[in-house]
Amino acid sequence: MHELSLSSAIVNTVVKHAHGRRVTVVELRVGKLRQVIPDTLEFYFEFVARDTVCEGARLEQQVIDARLSCRGCGHEWKIEIPAFRCPACGGSDVEIATGNEFEVESITVEEAECIGQR
Ligand SMILES: [Zn+2]
């Protein structure tokens, strides 16, 4: 049910920013380390979006590669599976550079229904 709570978070964020305007597109940035299944997320998004301004909106998911960086030598690399050792210097003092994202990048709303916009 991981995707269900994420979907609720998305809808809450978007509703807050839409100010009552109907949302047509929601762009998301999802890091690979979040282990989100896109189809499942979309399914729950549609479910949670019902009866909100997000109903019927298209969810566009941009997957961000997981990258680690080594604090020892500054090397940065992409990982497919979690392997927390620097291939350049062998050090284990590494941090997640990218891949942990989960954020709404942008939303598109119907201009015709703008209320209170100048
Ligand atoms: Zn290193």
Side-chain angles (χ1 to χ4, degrees), residues 30-43:
V30 184
K32 261 195 181 163
L33 294 177
R34 291 289 182 154
Q35 299 184 303
V36 166
I37 302 159
D39 286 350
T40 309
L41 186 65
E42 204 172 311
F43 174 81

PDB file of all heavy atoms in Angstrom, residues 30-43:
ATOM      1  N   VAL A  30      10.268  10.947  -9.563  1.00  0.00           N
ATOM      2  CA  VAL A  30      10.324   9.818  -8.647  1.00  0.00           C
ATOM      3  C   VAL A  30      11.690   9.153  -8.728  1.00  0.00           C
ATOM      4  O   VAL A  30      12.096   8.672  -9.785  1.00  0.00           O
ATOM      5  CB  VAL A  30       9.233   8.770  -8.988  1.00  0.00           C
ATOM      6  CG1 VAL A  30       9.244   7.657  -7.949  1.00  0.00           C
ATOM      7  CG2 VAL A  30       7.863   9.410  -9.066  1.00  0.00           C
ATOM      8  N   GLY A  31      12.400   9.168  -7.636  1.00  0.00           N
ATOM      9  CA  GLY A  31      13.709   8.512  -7.589  1.00  0.00           C
ATOM     10  C   GLY A  31      13.552   7.002  -7.589  1.00  0.00           C
ATOM     11  O   GLY A  31      12.604   6.460  -7.038  1.00  0.00           O
ATOM     12  N   LYS A  32      14.512   6.335  -8.262  1.00  0.00           N
ATOM     13  CA  LYS A  32      14.449   4.874  -8.379  1.00  0.00           C
ATOM     14  C   LYS A  32      14.471   4.174  -7.030  1.00  0.00           C
ATOM     15  O   LYS A  32      13.893   3.106  -6.852  1.00  0.00           O
ATOM     16  CB  LYS A  32      15.630   4.367  -9.212  1.00  0.00           C
ATOM     17  CG  LYS A  32      15.252   4.098 -10.640  1.00  0.00           C
ATOM     18  CD  LYS A  32      16.308   3.266 -11.345  1.00  0.00           C
ATOM     19  CE  LYS A  32      15.896   3.046 -12.800  1.00  0.00           C
ATOM     20  NZ  LYS A  32      17.014   2.615 -13.629  1.00  0.00           N
ATOM     21  N   LEU A  33      15.156   4.781  -6.060  1.00  0.00           N
ATOM     22  CA  LEU A  33      15.273   4.144  -4.749  1.00  0.00           C
ATOM     23  C   LEU A  33      13.937   4.105  -4.012  1.00  0.00           C
ATOM     24  O   LEU A  33      13.803   3.432  -3.006  1.00  0.00           O
ATOM     25  CB  LEU A  33      16.327   4.853  -3.898  1.00  0.00           C
ATOM     26  CG  LEU A  33      17.766   4.740  -4.401  1.00  0.00           C
ATOM     27  CD1 LEU A  33      18.705   5.541  -3.523  1.00  0.00           C
ATOM     28  CD2 LEU A  33      18.213   3.287  -4.456  1.00  0.00           C
ATOM     29  N   ARG A  34      12.966   4.856  -4.503  1.00  0.00           N
ATOM     30  CA  ARG A  34      11.637   4.842  -3.885  1.00  0.00           C
ATOM     31  C   ARG A  34      10.898   3.547  -4.184  1.00  0.00           C
ATOM     32  O   ARG A  34       9.890   3.254  -3.569  1.00  0.00           O
ATOM     33  CB  ARG A  34      10.812   6.032  -4.395  1.00  0.00           C
ATOM     34  CG  ARG A  34      11.306   7.362  -3.902  1.00  0.00           C
ATOM     35  CD  ARG A  34      11.011   7.492  -2.423  1.00  0.00           C
ATOM     36  NE  ARG A  34      11.431   8.775  -1.908  1.00  0.00           N
ATOM     37  CZ  ARG A  34      10.869   9.343  -0.847  1.00  0.00           C
ATOM     38  NH1 ARG A  34       9.893   8.749  -0.215  1.00  0.00           N
ATOM     39  NH2 ARG A  34      11.311  10.496  -0.426  1.00  0.00           N
ATOM     40  N   GLN A  35      11.398   2.829  -5.178  1.00  0.00           N
ATOM     41  CA  GLN A  35      10.818   1.548  -5.571  1.00  0.00           C
ATOM     42  C   GLN A  35       9.322   1.632  -5.827  1.00  0.00           C
ATOM     43  O   GLN A  35       8.542   0.784  -5.402  1.00  0.00           O
ATOM     44  CB  GLN A  35      11.136   0.484  -4.523  1.00  0.00           C
ATOM     45  CG  GLN A  35      12.637   0.273  -4.392  1.00  0.00           C
ATOM     46  CD  GLN A  35      12.977  -0.849  -3.440  1.00  0.00           C
ATOM     47  OE1 GLN A  35      12.573  -0.825  -2.285  1.00  0.00           O
ATOM     48  NE2 GLN A  35      13.724  -1.831  -3.906  1.00  0.00           N
ATOM     49  N   VAL A  36       8.930   2.694  -6.524  1.00  0.00           N
ATOM     50  CA  VAL A  36       7.536   2.884  -6.875  1.00  0.00           C
ATOM     51  C   VAL A  36       7.245   2.146  -8.175  1.00  0.00           C
ATOM     52  O   VAL A  36       8.040   2.192  -9.117  1.00  0.00           O
ATOM     53  CB  VAL A  36       7.236   4.394  -7.051  1.00  0.00           C
ATOM     54  CG1 VAL A  36       5.899   4.617  -7.731  1.00  0.00           C
ATOM     55  CG2 VAL A  36       7.272   5.089  -5.704  1.00  0.00           C
ATOM     56  N   ILE A  37       6.143   1.432  -8.219  1.00  0.00           N
ATOM     57  CA  ILE A  37       5.719   0.793  -9.466  1.00  0.00           C
ATOM     58  C   ILE A  37       4.790   1.769 -10.170  1.00  0.00           C
ATOM     59  O   ILE A  37       3.702   2.076  -9.665  1.00  0.00           O
ATOM     60  CB  ILE A  37       4.992  -0.540  -9.174  1.00  0.00           C
ATOM     61  CG1 ILE A  37       5.919  -1.468  -8.389  1.00  0.00           C
ATOM     62  CG2 ILE A  37       4.528  -1.191 -10.468  1.00  0.00           C
ATOM     63  CD1 ILE A  37       5.209  -2.561  -7.630  1.00  0.00           C
ATOM     64  N   PRO A  38       5.228   2.312 -11.327  1.00  0.00           N
ATOM     65  CA  PRO A  38       4.473   3.375 -12.007  1.00  0.00           C
ATOM     66  C   PRO A  38       3.004   3.052 -12.228  1.00  0.00           C
ATOM     67  O   PRO A  38       2.138   3.890 -11.973  1.00  0.00           O
ATOM     68  CB  PRO A  38       5.222   3.528 -13.336  1.00  0.00           C
ATOM     69  CG  PRO A  38       6.609   3.101 -13.023  1.00  0.00           C
ATOM     70  CD  PRO A  38       6.475   1.978 -12.026  1.00  0.00           C
ATOM     71  N   ASP A  39       2.699   1.846 -12.709  1.00  0.00           N
ATOM     72  CA  ASP A  39       1.304   1.480 -12.981  1.00  0.00           C
ATOM     73  C   ASP A  39       0.468   1.483 -11.714  1.00  0.00           C
ATOM     74  O   ASP A  39      -0.683   1.906 -11.711  1.00  0.00           O
ATOM     75  CB  ASP A  39       1.232   0.087 -13.630  1.00  0.00           C
ATOM     76  CG  ASP A  39       1.689   0.129 -15.076  1.00  0.00           C
ATOM     77  OD1 ASP A  39       1.877   1.244 -15.604  1.00  0.00           O
ATOM     78  OD2 ASP A  39       1.860  -0.953 -15.668  1.00  0.00           O
ATOM     79  N   THR A  40       1.062   0.998 -10.638  1.00  0.00           N
ATOM     80  CA  THR A  40       0.350   0.935  -9.365  1.00  0.00           C
ATOM     81  C   THR A  40       0.103   2.345  -8.846  1.00  0.00           C
ATOM     82  O   THR A  40      -0.987   2.662  -8.359  1.00  0.00           O
ATOM     83  CB  THR A  40       1.177   0.134  -8.328  1.00  0.00           C
ATOM     84  OG1 THR A  40       1.554  -1.101  -8.916  1.00  0.00           O
ATOM     85  CG2 THR A  40       0.383  -0.125  -7.065  1.00  0.00           C
ATOM     86  N   LEU A  41       1.112   3.196  -8.980  1.00  0.00           N
ATOM     87  CA  LEU A  41       0.971   4.580  -8.526  1.00  0.00           C
ATOM     88  C   LEU A  41      -0.144   5.278  -9.302  1.00  0.00           C
ATOM     89  O   LEU A  41      -0.968   5.992  -8.724  1.00  0.00           O
ATOM     90  CB  LEU A  41       2.294   5.333  -8.700  1.00  0.00           C
ATOM     91  CG  LEU A  41       2.320   6.746  -8.131  1.00  0.00           C
ATOM     92  CD1 LEU A  41       2.171   6.728  -6.622  1.00  0.00           C
ATOM     93  CD2 LEU A  41       3.610   7.465  -8.508  1.00  0.00           C
ATOM     94  N   GLU A  42      -0.161   5.027 -10.613  1.00  0.00           N
ATOM     95  CA  GLU A  42      -1.185   5.642 -11.447  1.00  0.00           C
ATOM     96  C   GLU A  42      -2.588   5.171 -11.043  1.00  0.00           C
ATOM     97  O   GLU A  42      -3.524   5.961 -10.965  1.00  0.00           O
ATOM     98  CB  GLU A  42      -0.908   5.271 -12.910  1.00  0.00           C
ATOM     99  CG  GLU A  42      -1.502   6.249 -13.888  1.00  0.00           C
ATOM    100  CD  GLU A  42      -1.032   5.949 -15.307  1.00  0.00           C
ATOM    101  OE1 GLU A  42       0.181   5.778 -15.516  1.00  0.00           O
ATOM    102  OE2 GLU A  42      -1.894   5.876 -16.193  1.00  0.00           O
ATOM    103  N   PHE A  43      -2.678   3.887 -10.773  1.00  0.00           N
ATOM    104  CA  PHE A  43      -3.952   3.311 -10.370  1.00  0.00           C
ATOM    105  C   PHE A  43      -4.476   3.982  -9.098  1.00  0.00           C
ATOM    106  O   PHE A  43      -5.614   4.432  -9.028  1.00  0.00           O
ATOM    107  CB  PHE A  43      -3.786   1.801 -10.147  1.00  0.00           C
ATOM    108  CG  PHE A  43      -5.010   1.140  -9.579  1.00  0.00           C
ATOM    109  CD1 PHE A  43      -6.073   0.786 -10.398  1.00  0.00           C
ATOM    110  CD2 PHE A  43      -5.103   0.891  -8.213  1.00  0.00           C
ATOM    111  CE1 PHE A  43      -7.199   0.183  -9.871  1.00  0.00           C
ATOM    112  CE2 PHE A  43      -6.230   0.285  -7.678  1.00  0.00           C
ATOM    113  CZ  PHE A  43      -7.277  -0.064  -8.503  1.00  0.00           C
TER     114      PHE A  43
END
